[in-house]
Amino acid sequence: MMTDDVANVAQPSGPNGGPALLWTEGLERDFGGVKAVGGVSIAMHEGRITGLIGPNGAGKSTTLAMLAGTTPPSAGRIFFDGREVTHLRAFERAQMGLIRTFQLSSEFKQLTVLENLVVAVPGNPGDSLAGALFRRSRFKKFEREALDYAGELLERFRLTQYADTYAGALSGGQRRLVEIMRALMARPRMLLLDEPMAGVHPRLAIEIGEHLLNLKQEGLSIVMVEHELRIVDRFCDPVIVLAEGKVLSQGTMTELRGRQDVVDAYLIG
Ligand code: ADP
Ligand code: MG
């Protein structure tokens, strides 16, 4: 892997004094003439659900995509777990435990829920014909472990009865859960979520949030773009506010409500 050793890079400390797990220095992204992200330096910490909020077009999704490695930055640096990852591809960051969710594509809607989970395991030796033919015993073990873990996740997310249902037949909220479960199959250290409850029935949105809190309790770190402030209030701490491609403010949601510039930019009631 093309990573520099960055033992000499100053690692920002967290809200509770601990070191950051993921952090950026002067992150920028231009799209033609549009500066979607214009110099963002942020730190996100282990065992927290960090919220990324801000008005439409603030650069939240672009920032998240740069963290995940799905959009290359125009400038700036990204560090994960003490190493620079700026030039690592998304799958290489995933191997380090930094994983983002993706909306289920039409291809995945034609697989059952269980199949969706099993194929989400990285490094599946069944990926290639050679793997299937020549490493059958290894494949069997891999497959058994993947099936076991998929079964655990299905129980945990109360979707066991949907294991053999085509993902395309699920409700919007259930699909969101499957997207998160697919990411969990890779056993992430940090999960990156872009509006994981958007368009979901409020009751199911809360349920998704409760699942995220439980995962956090078990040590998973989460960064989550979210538009709905009631959700941010309930599930995210700390919260980083972006506006016009820059960091406007950060803190707890309670602190942010007390800051006039944040209230003005985001119309917090
Ligand atoms: P947010 O997620 O906060 O709503 P985005 O990161 O999606 O904001 O977008 C920030 C800005 O960058 C917007 O002005 C948007 O139009 C622009 N932008 C985002 N993606 C692209 C793209 N692929 N091509 C051109 N402009 C883009
Ligand atoms: Mg967005």
Side-chain angles (χ1 to χ4, degrees):
M1 262 191 270
M2 295 195 327
T3 44
D4 298 313
D5 200 2
V6 288
N8 57 339
V9 168
Q11 190 160 354
S13 68
N16 49 4
L21 181 56
L22 175 67
W23 76 100
T24 71
E25 287 175 7
L27 207 53
E28 296 186 20
R29 173 67 202 202
D30 308 313
F31 289 111
V34 179
K35 201 167 235 357
V37 176
V40 163
S41 301
I42 50 177
M44 289 138 287
H45 295 83
E46 189 123 48
R48 298 227 163 210
I49 304 180
T50 303
L52 214 50
I53 71 170
N56 268 329
K60 304 180 297 294
S61 292
T62 306
T63 298
L64 196 88
M66 289 193 283
L67 297 176
T70 47
T71 294
S74 309
R77 301 169 83 188
I78 304 167
F79 302 88
F80 180 67
D81 196 19
R83 290 166 67 192
E84 177 160 15
V85 299
T86 315
H87 303 292
L88 292 189
R89 307 203 7 222
F91 82 88
E92 293 171 307
R93 297 183 205 193
Q95 284 168 348
M96 294 173 69
L98 180 62
I99 310 243
R100 76 168 292 177
T101 54
F102 285 102
Q103 287 196 11
L104 290 180
S105 62
S106 53
E107 188 188 329
F108 290 107
K109 289 178 190 158
Q110 293 170 33
L111 298 180
T112 67
V113 170
L114 183 62
E115 287 165 347
N116 259 287
L117 299 183
V118 171
V119 301
V121 179
N124 189 334
D127 272 355
S128 69
L129 186 60
L133 290 177
F134 300 118
R135 284 174 290 171
R136 196 174 292 270
S137 65
R138 209 184 121 211
F139 176 65
K140 283 275 181 250
K141 179 169 183 288
F142 186 94
E143 194 184 39
R144 202 180 334 108
E145 285 171 1
L147 279 169
D148 285 349
Y149 193 48
E152 270 177 50
L153 288 179
L154 284 165
E155 269 185 38
R156 166 177 203 140
F157 287 88
R158 295 200 294 268
L159 289 179
T160 304
Q161 66 189 108
Y162 297 97
D164 299 322
T165 302
Y166 288 106
L170 298 177
S171 74
Q174 290 169 331
R175 245 178 252 172
R176 283 297 154 87
L177 282 177
V178 171
E179 288 160 16
I180 293 169
M181 291 159 79
R182 280 175 53 82
L184 292 175
M185 286 300 288
R187 304 197 187 249
R189 258 185 94 183
M190 184 176 253
L191 197 57
L192 305 173
L193 306 169
D194 194 348
E195 304 201 31
M197 292 99 154
V200 166
H201 186 282
R203 189 176 41 74
L204 192 50
I206 296 298
E207 192 181 318
I208 293 172
E210 300 288 350
H211 283 302
L212 297 179
L213 279 184
N214 289 336
L215 291 164
K216 181 192 94 154
Q217 237 72 63
E218 291 164 24
L220 184 67
S221 310
I222 298 173
V223 178
M224 167 172 148
V225 169
E226 185 51 58
H227 202 78
E228 181 61 58
L229 286 179
R230 273 175 308 169
I231 297 284
V232 179
D233 246 335
R234 186 149 168 185
F235 299 111
C236 301
D237 175 27
V239 175
I240 299 169
V241 189
L242 295 183
E244 297 178 355
K246 291 190 182 331
V247 177
L248 180 66
S249 196
Q250 44 193 318
T252 65
M253 204 56 222
T254 309
E255 288 165 354
L256 294 173
R257 282 182 196 283
R259 292 187 196 161
Q260 194 57 43
D261 53 347
V262 176
V263 173
D264 290 344
Y266 206 68
L267 301 174
I268 295 175

